[in-house]
Amino acid sequence: MSDQQTSPEAGAPAMDRPAFLLSSLGVQVANEFTERLRPLGLEPIEFALLAHLESAEGSSQQTLAEALGVHRNAMVGLVDELETRGLVQRHPHPDDRRAKALHLTERARELVERGYRAADEHDADLLSTVEESERPQLISLLRRVAEDRGVSPRGHPCLTQHPGPVKRSTTDRADEDSR
């Protein structure tokens, strides 16, 4: 590869700049995934939390917050919202009487399963123009860039930068109530 292909000159079109491409693609992919989760009544942050809890059933809020890199105050609000919606239950923690163990409800398990299917479909659509044999290399390159930039493998920035509970619009609540 020539230097020109890997390092665009000043004044190069935006579509030749990796940062522009990754940023634009990231915004579009995030918006598309949000739309795929909308019929499930979930925001991406909620799906990520439920999916992680599925594999760490019985974790305390603090343990879950640490695993996902979420501030504990934000975690409290998120768990409160999920509990109010009947997706998470708090039970006494068997090893720490001050803590609560978090458990998914059956409804949450169904939503997580449907969310994974939506994520699989999203990945397939996103990579439909990339040959199957090229995909491992693409993932490896993206992972290397992400690691170099300090992107945490623990969780998506939507989790680590989230200031508190998800603010649901009245439209979202009305849609959810009609289900």
Side-chain angles (χ1 to χ4, degrees), residues 66-127:
E66 290 169 1
L68 293 173
V70 177
H71 190 277
R72 67 179 181 252
N73 293 343
M75 181 60 69
V76 169
L78 288 166
V79 173
D80 285 349
E81 172 70 19
L82 294 171
E83 185 178 41
T84 298
R85 292 172 48 208
L87 299 175
V88 172
Q89 295 176 332
R90 290 177 170 115
H91 298 290
H93 196 282
D95 300 326
D96 183 352
R97 62 186 170 101
R98 298 167 297 156
K100 297 290 185 184
L102 302 177
H103 296 273
L104 296 178
T105 64
E106 193 56 40
R107 181 170 169 239
R109 290 180 200 291
E110 292 168 11
L111 286 176
V112 168
E113 184 178 319
R114 291 172 60 196
Y116 277 129
R117 283 196 303 267
D120 290 344
E121 291 168 4
H122 192 162
D123 285 345
D125 287 348
L126 176 65
L127 297 180

Side-chain angles (χ1 to χ4, degrees), residues 38 43 81 166-177:
R38 190 171 309 284
E43 294 291 327
E81 172 70 19
V166 173
K167 303 287 189 233
R168 302 179 83 68
S169 72
T170 54
T171 306
D172 288 345
R173 289 187 194 276
D175 289 346
E176 193 174 290
D177 292 343

